[in-house]
Structures are given as C-alpha cells and as structure tokens.
C-alpha cells in the first residue's frame, strides 16, 4: 500500500516535470524530504531533466523577500 502511494506521487511529479519542460523551463529541481525517494520511480527520461538545487528553500525565501522589497522602492 505504501509503495503504491509513492508510485502515484512519482507519476504526478513526472507529469509536472514534463509540463514544466514543455513550457520552456530547463532548470527543474525537486526539493523536500520525499524528493529523493521519488527518483527511482519517476517516468523514464524524467530524471535526466532534473538538476540539483542551487541552494535550499530558506535561501530562496530570502531572495524572494529581497526582490519584493526592491520592487516596492
């Protein structure tokens, strides 16, 4: 049952990654605690589309906050 849940999640991740690629996004990464668990279950070819994160989610949040603050100026 648990494996079925992981497979279902990986199928959804695969669908989303392919959608991002077809929309022209070339730097796609998975983040979060389950991301590594999904890798072996992703559709064929999806793993080659993925890149390692440049930084963590906290760094991204700080960059987003800074950019929003600069827009207000």
């Amino acid at each position: 049952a648990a494996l079925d849940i992981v497979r279902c999640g990986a199928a959804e991740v695969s669908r989303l990654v392919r959608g991002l690629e077809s929309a022209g996004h070339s730097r796609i990464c998975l983040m979060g605690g389950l991301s590594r668990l999904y890798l072996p279950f992703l559709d064929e070819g999806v793993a080659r589309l993925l890149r390692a994160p440049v930084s963590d989610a906290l760094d991204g949040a700080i960059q987003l906050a800074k950019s929003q603050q600069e827009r207000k100026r």
Side-chain angles (χ1 to χ4, degrees):
L3 195 53
D4 291 335
I5 294 170
V6 172
R7 284 187 178 122
C8 184
E12 186 65 15
V13 169
S14 293
R15 186 185 69 76
L16 292 169
V17 169
R18 289 191 188 282
L20 289 168
E21 180 198 29
S22 67
H25 300 282
S26 61
R27 295 179 62 194
I28 304 167
C29 70
L30 300 183
M31 295 182 70
L34 295 177
S35 61
R36 283 183 273 145
L37 297 175
Y38 284 134
L39 289 175
F41 297 96
L42 295 175
D43 291 347
E44 187 176 324
V46 169
R48 70 173 170 74
L49 301 173
L50 300 175
R51 303 292 177 259
V54 174
S55 59
D56 63 19
L58 181 57
D59 288 335
I62 291 169
Q63 290 174 2
L64 180 61
K66 285 180 179 178
S67 70
Q68 293 297 317
Q69 187 64 28
E70 289 173 4
R71 284 186 182 168
K72 291 180 181 180
R73 291 181 186 175

